Amino acid sequence: MSEIMRPMPIAQILTWMREEYLTQGKIFGIRKEKFYRNESGTSASIFGQTISSVIGPAAGPNSQLAQNIIAAYLGGSRFIELKTVQKMDGDELRACVARPCIRAQDECYNVEWSTELFVQQAYDEYLKAYFAILVLAKELELANERDFAFNMSVGYDLEGIKLPKIDNYIEGMKDASNTPIWKECVAAVQAMLPSFKRFSQADLDAISPQISNSVTISTLHGCPPDEIERIAMHLLTVKGMHTFVKCNPTLLGYETARRLLNGLGYNYVSFDDHHFKEDLQYGDAVTMFKRLQQVAADKGLQFGVKITNTFPVEIKNGELPGEEMYMSGRALYPLSLTAASRLTKDFDGSLQISYSGGADAHNIDELFALGVMPITMATTILKPGGYERMHQIAKILEPKLAGAFAGVDVAGLTARAENVTSDSYHKKSARAVESRKTDSKLGQYDCFKAPCKSGGCPIEQQIPEYLRLVADANFDEAFKVIAIDNALPSVLGTICNHACQTKCTRLDYDASLQIRSMKKIAADNAQDAFIAASKPAATKTDKKALVIGAGPGGIATALFLRRNGMDVTVRECRDKALGIVSHVIPAFRIAEESLQRDVRMAEAAGVTFQYGCDPAYDLKALRKEFDAVVVATGAWKEGASPVQEGGAKLRDSLAFLIESKQKDCKVELGKRVAVIGGGDVAMDCARAAKKAPGVEQVTVVYRRTRAQMPAEPEELADAIADGVDLVELCAPVSFDGKELRCERMQLGEKDATGRRSVEGTGISATMFFDTVIAAVGARVDTEPFVANGLEVDKRGRLAFNEACETAIDGVYVVGDCKRGPSTIVSAVADAKRAATDILKKAGLDADFVRIDLPQDRKAVEAKKGVLIPASKEACEGERCLVCDQVCEICTDVCPNRANVAIDVQGGGFEQKRQILHIDGMCNECGNCGVFCPHTGNPYLDKTTLFWSEEDFQDSENKGFVALGGDAFKIRDENGAIVEHQRGDGKISPAMDAMIEAVTQNYAYYLPACK
């Protein structure tokens, strides 16, 4: 079964490492370019051991199996906190762990705790990892001698820790020389000595059997203080171990934890006060730790605390199975930092802190500078880049390593904790996007995609391609790529809602690529030259098209048709083009020159514009004159009133913005103005009102919370920067011209869309304003549709097909008049669909060609695992991960290395590299599914290699198991089980190619494991 991990024998591990390194330049997926070497000669000291970095994986999924620990070491980990062992283990514990058990989408949640292996298996894994690391360190010249420390983690009560299996584990870690696994490892390394270049018999003989001399105590919530102290005393005085006690964030008290999380925007994280009451209390902790600190000193041992454990919160919205989960990552950072600060102050900096709680490349420097060491991480290495993230972190700290713990900077840590809620990186708003997943279904093969362009961008802009060209300052070529799909590059380079950026893989690293800004840079540098060089395309057909409306959708349709050889005319009832963009959106958001540049591009392509036309139209008559008619008349009708009473006293947003733009914001509004709504139009209204003469206060009133606002984050930020106030969770009820009466709202549970609902509280709130502007959405005037025989539903929406064609043959509808107010880029997407269909009927091909711009794989891979701040300069292409050429996210984020990317020849694949899932290394944690840009889960949906027939039979995954020789058992793409001999033609070319690739080039994946 997929959730059962099958540990590999040490001989297989050594063979795997050697073969993968020689053939792929990797070991367990870590590229040799990311193998960490401390080249500065600096070091740190902990528990009497010299280590070459002070970071590593926290006890958890990244330190459970041998290959996890090896991968962590290669990336830069030198303090490795092994996964917790306890009396409950193996089958009994595994049955208690819900699947999936990890969700590291932003802040991380998990419902697993200690090792799922039997204690003896866990011990064997740690020994195998220990030997493998020592071999690699010498053989690959990563270190001349042991430069890492293993730290045990044990729990959860003294009775369990005294059990023979846990006691034997501890003693075996102190001295492994007489254990069977020690002897097995020695024999396996001995057998491979002839294949090593640098690791010698002398090195093997010199391996110390002392695996670990330190331990971190993990206790369950509610564990009594005296039990914690008894455990610590046992480990210090009986076992003679350097000891850390893991602290829970509940030390802070409920009110403090709630305040900190609310202050950073995590008010949706749900928890009550019962753990805070039942867990170790802060005062008891301080007195206990002082006693233990003295006992350790008397014994010549080190004592400290681990800050902090994960934080228990309620499962409210189906994040994971069950009722309670444990939170970690950047949301835990303020809690951990505050707990560390308080303890540091009470111990005057003398208490050593092993830190964990949101540490990553963004904050590692400041944490270490404050005297905190060692520093362990889980969440950051569960995200794209995986273990390779450790390399950057280790390099940041390398020049600053300077021996043993010397105390914590009390004043510095106190100041940092006091300012934590002002830290923009740790605020929820730094990553307002919940999920990067797109609607595409994860296939068994050919899954690499750039979600920014495929699923994120409605017009499927070729984003990685033009980002690369902009980064190279090749603006002319970049603009040509942009113009293939984009008829309004200046407009969309300035005010696009950039849904592409909500799907960018960089969101899971640092911040989305500034895709829109790069488009604008290309337009600013190359669009004029592009227009100057443009010539109308030769007319290729006698068929003609008419576009009614020169808004974004109308201009885009006309341009796409004209440049492909069709005669097209645009009729506009107003005096200039671009509809609401031109007449409504304020000049402070987009300059007139940017608008005109896009209009000139259409004119240069040969589009004929007619202005001041009669807004009425007769579709039947027009169809006799034109072969295709495209209606693109927008949504100009006043929106529905957002109040139950006094709606006539509200100003409509569109009417206000039109007047404001015409009068350069010099509109009479009084002193106090309210704007009802939370979208971009509401922000435009608020900012325009703020510029009106005599206005002293502008308030946006929104029925949901700031985090739920549909407005683009930068538009909201600009409004706030302009001095606009925001009142959240307030639903307007009535306005009498002065008094705006509202009902206070509260957040409810998430609805089917994943958005939290709002509920009335019955509590009234009254505010006083001179003007209230309603910005809750314009409507479509459907009378012309009805007059022309087009049926609309109760919501005023037309029926149309995939090509935007209506029930009248040859009549199309695009943009806001089709669906109601939407985005500019969606209107251009409509234009692409309609134009493609019109051209096809005219016997013409649309020219939306794909550009083949291969990028250097090694250069792209070098960016993996590296956090880089976003930039609005022309260098975002340097941050782009080119996901449609180099994806493999599921291989990055798998703690167990159970997903691998292999090169496959033949099989009819579109992509050379395919994902293979190795069943025996997977425990169905689900992390790969969280980060895969498709809808699906790689651990369930990709071709699976099984290590035994038993596991094959217990699974439903499509894949294969080797039976010996050339025989395999296959579960094919349709779910049928087939007995297969290589070359017998019984299976698909794709499955056959996968098996051939594994057997010929990746045979080290195949051996069955005991």
Side-chain angles (χ1 to χ4, degrees):
M1 293 174 67
S2 293
E3 75 269 19
I4 300 178
M5 299 173 289
R6 308 294 186 185
M8 290 185 282
I10 182 63
Q12 183 181 352
I13 290 172
L14 293 171
T15 299
W16 184 318
M17 293 193 305
R18 180 188 63 193
E19 294 302 313
E20 187 177 17
Y21 181 74
L22 292 175
T23 60
Q24 308 295 320
K26 302 177 181 179
I27 294 176
F28 291 119
I30 310 302
R31 293 169 297 112
K32 63 182 180 181
E33 293 83 2
K34 290 296 180 78
F35 292 174
Y36 175 71
R37 297 172 178 83
N38 184 318
E39 296 169 341
S40 303
T42 57
S43 64
S45 176
I46 188 165
F47 309 137
Q49 299 180 56
T50 299
I51 55 178
S52 61
S53 83
V54 295
I55 62 166
N62 297 99
S63 61
Q64 180 164 229
L65 296 176
Q67 63 264 27
N68 307 23
I69 299 165
I70 294 164
Y73 175 85
L74 290 171
S77 301
R78 296 297 183 267
F79 183 84
I80 296 168
E81 191 181 75
L82 303 168
K83 193 160 189 183
T84 307
V85 298
Q86 57 143 324
K87 62 185 178 184
M88 184 193 294
D89 62 354
D91 295 339
E92 182 185 7
L93 184 136
R94 191 164 50 244
C96 298
V97 177
R99 317 286 170 170
C101 55
I102 299 174
R103 183 182 176 84
Q105 187 169 271
D106 184 8
E107 69 271 19
C108 183
Y109 299 105
N110 73 83
V111 290
E112 48 89 44
W113 54 105
S114 52
T115 182
E116 296 173 38
L117 301 174
F118 291 97
V119 171
Q120 184 60 53
Q121 286 181 311
Y123 177 77
D124 291 354
E125 287 300 288
Y126 304 154
L127 265 290
K128 287 181 280 188
Y130 176 77
F131 268 84
I133 289 171
L134 289 171
V135 170
L136 288 173
K138 189 64 180 289
E139 185 66 9
L140 300 179
E141 299 182 289
L142 304 181
N144 290 324
E145 55 190 16
R146 177 175 172 178
D147 68 336
F148 63 95
F150 276 7
N151 177 244
M152 287 183 272
S153 177
V154 299
Y156 292 100
D157 56 15
L158 184 57
E159 177 192 6
I161 289 170
K162 284 184 173 180
L163 289 175
K165 66 179 177 181
I166 305 297
D167 191 69
N168 290 341
Y169 166 81
I170 294 171
E171 291 299 320
M173 294 296 279
K174 289 166 63 179
D175 184 351
S177 57
N178 292 318
T179 62
I181 189 61
W182 174 272
K183 296 171 184 176
E184 181 184 336
C185 288
V186 169
V189 174
Q190 183 86 51
M192 290 191 71
L193 279 176
S195 68
F196 297 144
K197 293 181 179 180
R198 299 178 183 88
F199 189 87
S200 66
Q201 182 67 54
D203 295 316
L204 177 58
D205 295 340
I207 293 178
S208 169
Q210 187 185 74
I211 312 304
S212 175
N213 64 353
S214 68
V215 63
T216 295
I217 301 169
S218 185
T219 58
L220 293 174
H221 291 281
C223 184
D226 56 348
E227 177 72 355
I228 297 173
E229 189 163 4
R230 282 195 295 268
I231 297 170
M233 289 291 289
H234 173 75
L235 294 171
L236 285 166
T237 62
V238 178
K239 294 302 174 183
M241 307 291 290
H242 302 287
T243 303
F244 286 131
V245 172
K246 190 177 290 186
C247 296
N248 292 318
T250 50
L251 275 180
L252 296 173
Y254 174 82
E255 290 77 13
T256 298
R258 186 74 273 173
R259 173 179 58 80
L260 289 169
L261 290 174
N262 288 356
L264 286 165
Y266 298 98
N267 52 325
Y268 60 89
V269 176
S270 178
F271 54 91
D272 60 24
D273 62 356
H274 80 278
H275 282 305
F276 294 87
K277 293 177 178 178
E278 296 167 0
D279 284 2
L280 177 66
Q281 299 300 295
Y282 184 80
D284 295 334
V286 171
T287 55
M288 179 205 307
F289 295 159
K290 286 183 176 179
R291 288 193 297 267
L292 292 171
Q293 190 180 46
Q294 185 60 55
V295 169
D298 293 344
K299 293 287 184 180
L301 297 169
Q302 289 177 246
F303 173 80
V305 291
K306 173 71 180 290
I307 302 289
T308 64
N309 201 353
T310 51
F311 182 52
V313 301
E314 297 171 345
I315 298 174
K316 283 287 191 180
N317 299 294
E319 296 92 343
L320 289 169
E323 297 179 355
E324 187 174 71
M325 58 189 176
Y326 302 97
M327 184 187 78
S328 60
R330 68 191 183 104
L332 188 58
Y333 181 78
L335 304 183
S336 297
L337 196 72
T338 303
S341 170
R342 291 187 179 180
L343 286 170
T344 292
K345 189 181 298 183
D346 282 319
F347 281 81
D348 197 25
S350 68
L351 183 65
Q352 183 164 7
I353 294 174
S354 171
Y355 184 88
S356 185
D360 63 16
H362 286 284
N363 53 35
I364 197 77
D365 198 6
E366 67 176 7
L367 285 169
F368 185 70
L370 293 169
V372 172
M373 65 169 281
I375 303 170
T376 59
M377 287 153 273
T379 299
T380 194
I381 47 178
L382 287 170
K383 293 178 182 289
Y387 293 101
E388 290 190 352
R389 288 184 176 222
M390 305 301 279
H391 185 272
Q392 179 187 22
I393 297 169
K395 283 297 181 184
I396 290 171
L397 296 187
E398 183 178 310
K400 302 168 185 180
L401 302 180
F405 169 71
V408 183
D409 178 353
V410 178
L413 186 54
T414 300
R416 183 69 190 88
E418 288 175 350
N419 295 324
V420 69
T421 53
S422 63
D423 185 336
S424 60
Y425 172 68
H426 294 98
K427 288 184 177 180
K428 179 62 180 181
S429 57
R431 190 193 190 279
V433 178
E434 278 297 307
S435 174
R436 293 191 310 100
K437 279 190 174 291
T438 62
D439 292 335
S440 58
K441 182 180 178 182
L442 177 63
Q444 188 175 342
Y445 312 110
D446 290 337
C447 58
F448 295 4
K449 70 178 286 184
C452 58
K453 69 178 179 183
S454 179
C457 178
I459 56 175
E460 296 191 330
Q461 283 270 262
Q462 298 174 68
I463 294 167
E465 289 76 14
Y466 77 69
L467 288 182
R468 177 71 266 159
L469 292 166
V470 170
D472 292 340
N474 192 344
F475 302 122
D476 290 336
E477 290 303 314
F479 188 81
K480 289 177 183 176
V481 173
I482 291 167
I484 292 170
D485 306 288
N486 191 337
L488 303 169
S490 282
V491 169
L492 291 175
T494 307
I495 57 173
C496 182
N497 71 315
H498 55 62
C500 53
Q501 294 180 203
T502 69
K503 303 299 180 185
C504 177
T505 302
R506 272 281 168 196
L507 278 167
D508 292 323
Y509 277 81
D510 28 55
S512 170
L513 295 174
Q514 302 302 294
I515 297 168
R516 184 177 70 186
S517 297
M518 298 305 102
K519 188 186 289 102
K520 187 175 189 303
I521 287 171
D524 287 346
N525 283 276
Q527 189 171 9
D528 286 336
F530 181 89
I531 293 169
S534 296
K535 294 180 180 179
T539 303
K540 301 176 183 178
T541 177
D542 59 357
K543 297 185 181 299
K544 298 184 299 181
L546 173 70
V547 177
I548 304 172
I555 289 179
T557 308
L559 174 57
F560 295 147
L561 291 173
R562 184 67 195 90
R563 77 184 191 194
N564 284 287
M566 193 169 190
D567 182 87
V568 60
T569 300
V570 179
R571 292 179 182 172
E572 167 61 48
C573 66
R574 293 174 177 82
D575 60 353
K576 60 180 179 178
L578 276 174
I580 281 177
V581 177
S582 176
H583 294 274
V584 174
I585 294 179
F588 55 75
R589 278 194 62 201
I590 185 166
E592 183 66 21
E593 169 57 25
S594 294
L595 304 180
Q596 291 308 311
R597 202 157 58 188
D598 284 349
V599 176
R600 289 200 304 271
M601 192 168 80
E603 291 172 339
V607 175
T608 299
F609 287 91
Q610 298 174 355
Y611 297 107
C613 299
D614 186 345
Y617 53 85
D618 182 339
L619 291 177
K620 290 182 179 179
L622 291 173
R623 277 291 284 116
K624 293 177 181 178
E625 184 180 355
F626 296 95
D627 299 280
V629 176
V630 180
V631 180
T633 50
W636 292 83
K637 188 176 179 180
E638 180 177 321
S641 175
V643 299
Q644 299 167 19
E645 304 168 20
K649 296 182 181 295
L650 303 181
R651 295 197 65 167
D652 177 64
S653 57
L654 292 191
F656 163 69
L657 287 172
I658 290 170
E659 181 184 0
S660 179
K661 190 161 188 176
Q662 290 171 344
K663 296 180 178 180
D664 192 25
C665 297
K666 294 178 176 61
V667 181
E668 291 294 327
L669 298 172
K671 293 182 179 181
R672 294 167 57 86
V673 179
V675 178
I676 300 172
D680 287 344
V681 172
M683 299 306 113
D684 286 345
C685 289
R687 294 181 68 195
K690 192 70 178 174
K691 298 177 188 299
V695 171
E696 297 176 358
Q697 180 182 358
V698 176
T699 303
V700 170
V701 180
Y702 184 53
R703 65 193 299 267
R704 296 178 181 269
T705 66
R706 177 172 178 167
Q708 296 172 303
M709 278 189 162
E712 291 304 307
E714 57 264 43
E715 302 304 331
L716 175 58
D718 286 344
I720 299 297
D722 281 355
V724 173
D725 297 325
L726 172 62
V727 174
E728 304 172 80
L729 292 171
C730 209
V733 175
S734 65
F735 181 61
D736 63 4
K738 287 294 179 182
E739 183 178 292
L740 178 65
R741 188 167 61 86
C742 303
E743 180 184 12
R744 295 289 184 188
M745 310 298 284
Q746 64 184 7
L747 290 178
E749 302 301 324
K750 287 187 178 180
D751 58 24
T753 68
R755 193 183 194 195
R756 292 189 72 178
S757 61
V758 288
E759 304 164 348
T761 64
I763 300 172
S764 294
T766 301
M767 294 172 279
F768 297 92
F769 299 101
D770 301 304
T771 301
V772 175
I773 301 169
V776 291
R779 292 178 290 178
V780 177
D781 182 1
T782 59
E783 289 185 11
F785 296 158
V786 176
N788 278 277
L790 291 171
E791 290 187 11
V792 297
D793 62 20
K794 292 181 180 179
R795 299 180 63 189
R797 297 193 175 192
L798 287 167
F800 47 83
N801 63 18
E802 286 292 319
C804 303
E805 188 176 19
T806 69
I808 300 177
D809 180 57
V811 173
Y812 298 77
V813 59
V814 302
D816 287 358
C817 68
K818 183 185 88 169
R819 62 171 68 82
S822 187
T823 62
I824 300 167
V825 71
S826 294
V828 179
D830 287 347
K832 282 187 72 173
R833 286 189 286 270
T836 300
D837 195 60
I838 294 167
L839 290 167
K840 182 179 179 181
K841 290 180 177 179
L844 302 174
D845 293 324
D847 61 351
F848 303 119
V849 296
R850 299 286 93 185
I851 299 299
D852 184 18
L853 186 64
Q855 300 197 34
D856 181 71
R857 183 177 181 86
K858 284 194 174 295
V860 175
E861 286 181 335
K863 306 173 195 177
K864 277 181 166 282
V866 180
L867 278 61
I868 308 171
S871 170
K872 291 188 177 180
E873 304 302 322
C875 60
E876 287 293 79
E878 298 300 334
R879 296 177 64 233
C880 180
L881 295 162
V882 197
C883 303
D884 53 352
Q885 295 183 34
V886 185
C887 180
E888 302 171 20
I889 289 173
C890 61
T891 72
D892 293 349
V893 303
C894 177
N896 298 350
R897 323 315 286 152
N899 298 320
V900 294
I902 62 175
D903 289 329
V904 184
Q905 301 294 329
F909 297 125
E910 295 178 8
Q911 299 166 355
K912 181 181 179 182
R913 290 177 73 79
Q914 300 294 324
I915 298 300
L916 178 74
H917 177 66
I918 302 176
D919 173 79
M921 294 163 67
C922 178
N923 67 336
E924 292 193 344
C925 74
N927 200 46
C928 58
V930 170
F931 293 102
C932 177
H934 300 276
T935 298
N937 294 284
Y939 74 97
L940 297 174
D941 299 326
K942 304 308 290 185
T943 303
T944 299
L945 164 62
F946 294 92
W947 280 348
S948 72
E949 279 196 80
E950 176 189 1
D951 288 342
F952 177 90
Q953 294 295 344
D954 284 341
S955 173
E956 295 181 357
N957 282 19
K958 285 125 178 137
F960 59 94
V961 59
L963 303 178
D966 286 339
F968 294 86
K969 184 172 284 187
I970 314 293
R971 184 176 290 106
D972 68 16
E973 292 84 351
N974 299 313
I977 295 178
V978 179
E979 297 279 351
H980 166 65
Q981 290 282 335
R982 285 172 64 191
D984 65 7
K986 289 184 178 180
I987 60 175
S988 71
M991 185 72 80
D992 191 50
M994 292 287 288
I995 293 173
E996 192 69 14
V998 171
T999 55
Q1000 295 302 306
N1001 300 317
Y1002 304 92
Y1004 48 88
Y1005 295 158
L1006 282 170
C1009 304
K1010 64 182 182 181

